[in-house]
Amino acid sequence: MKSELPKVAVVLNESPLLLHVLRNIESAGINRKVVVVGYRKDIVTDIAKSFPGVEFAEQTEQLGTGHAVISAEKQLAPYTGYTIVACGDAPLISSSSFSNLIEHHKTNGYVATVLSAKMENPTGYGRIIRSADDGSLLRIVEEKDASPEEKAVNEVNTGTYCFNTEDLFGALKQIGNNNAQKEYYLTDVIKIFRNEGKKVGAQTLTNALESHGINSPDDLALAKQYIDNGLVGV
């Protein structure tokens, strides 16, 4: 980002990215929020500490998305209800998209539901691999681990999920780090659920632009352009 700030502290339209995410989650009716902090945690904590219902969990080592969620286990125990996992650098996912994800998850009786998007250029994103038989979700493959055929898939993981909390932490205790990055991927829980015969699904965003993540100054400028042109809301 060409900045010493943690990425979630970078400002978009006068607010840090993290606050955009927290506001949209709040508007979706999610009152309790756990922010996982790590790099320069003091800055992130200072941004979010006054937001209603916020608690903090520390990821002392950066060992992947699965490890980040495990870091919040103490805050989320005992395991009841549903857990939404959202990225602090994806500020454009709307409150209605969060609400629709939760409703889709509950209505279909899934243990995990992934929010997906269809992109013209899916480079850099984990691919959604569906069953050829019924279209159900089989797995999510990170680009570094994807075959050429899997890289050709244009449906991607937005990094946003709804889980049954108890099932989530049961599966997280089974994941390993046998991948190109030697990290604990949250996406591996999908395969575990499938192997256990549990129902998993994916819901595709109506507006794929909401999935736009902020990984560079160009990404930030493009997000502002989307907002200014009314292509997404904030």
Side-chain angles (χ1 to χ4, degrees):
M1 292 300 299
K2 299 181 180 178
S3 170
E4 293 184 1
L5 290 172
K7 187 164 54 169
V8 298
V10 171
V11 172
L12 170 66
N13 277 27
E14 301 182 357
S15 289
L17 300 180
L18 178 58
L19 283 188
H20 288 287
V21 177
L22 289 174
R23 287 170 186 153
N24 289 335
I25 288 172
E26 177 84 5
S27 295
I30 303 166
N31 296 319
R32 189 179 177 203
K33 306 156 200 71
V34 179
V35 176
V36 178
V37 297
Y39 172 68
R40 304 205 67 178
K41 64 179 181 179
D42 54 328
I43 294 175
V44 180
T45 301
D46 192 56
I47 288 169
K49 66 183 181 184
S50 62
F51 203 91
V54 166
E55 304 169 51
F56 297 94
E58 184 174 2
Q59 185 185 18
T60 53
E61 297 180 87
Q62 312 306 299
L63 299 178
T65 51
H67 183 259
V69 177
I70 289 171
S71 300
E73 181 177 16
K74 185 173 75 171
Q75 283 77 10
L76 295 173
Y79 312 136
T80 58
Y82 307 97
T83 294
I84 295 290
V85 176
C87 300
D89 60 358
L92 304 182
I93 297 176
S94 65
S95 59
S96 61
S97 292
F98 283 119
S99 297
N100 291 340
L101 175 64
I102 296 167
E103 185 61 29
H104 187 72
H105 178 84
K106 292 179 177 179
T107 300
N108 289 282
Y110 295 137
V111 298
T113 307
V114 182
L115 188 64
S116 70
K118 291 188 176 179
M119 296 185 169
E120 291 183 10
N121 179 11
T123 302
Y125 288 85
R127 305 303 202 273
I128 297 290
I129 307 300
R130 294 181 181 265
S131 167
D133 296 327
D134 61 6
S136 62
L137 180 61
L138 291 178
R139 62 189 180 277
I140 303 169
V141 182
E142 299 299 325
E143 180 159 294
K144 292 182 179 64
D145 303 307
S147 67
E149 293 79 11
E150 289 167 337
K151 287 180 180 178
V153 172
N154 74 338
E155 185 178 9
V156 304
N157 175 22
T158 67
T160 303
Y161 314 81
C162 185
F163 294 104
N164 290 1
T165 306
E166 184 173 4
D167 292 289
L168 169 62
F169 283 98
L172 282 171
K173 290 175 171 61
Q174 301 177 54
I175 64 175
N177 64 346
N178 184 25
N179 53 66
Q181 296 296 93
K182 297 300 179 185
E183 292 184 348
Y184 296 89
Y185 292 153
L186 178 58
T187 50
D188 285 350
V189 302
I190 301 301
K191 183 177 180 180
I192 290 170
F193 291 145
R194 289 284 308 196
N195 289 342
E196 292 175 346
K198 295 176 178 176
K199 291 178 65 177
V200 295
Q203 182 186 25
T204 307
L205 277 169
T206 303
N207 181 1
L209 295 182
E210 289 186 15
S211 67
H212 180 72
I214 310 299
N215 293 300
S216 70
D218 287 344
D219 288 338
L220 190 67
L222 190 55
K224 188 176 188 311
Q225 182 180 325
Y226 290 158
I227 296 167
D228 291 346
N229 290 338
L231 300 175
V232 296
V234 289

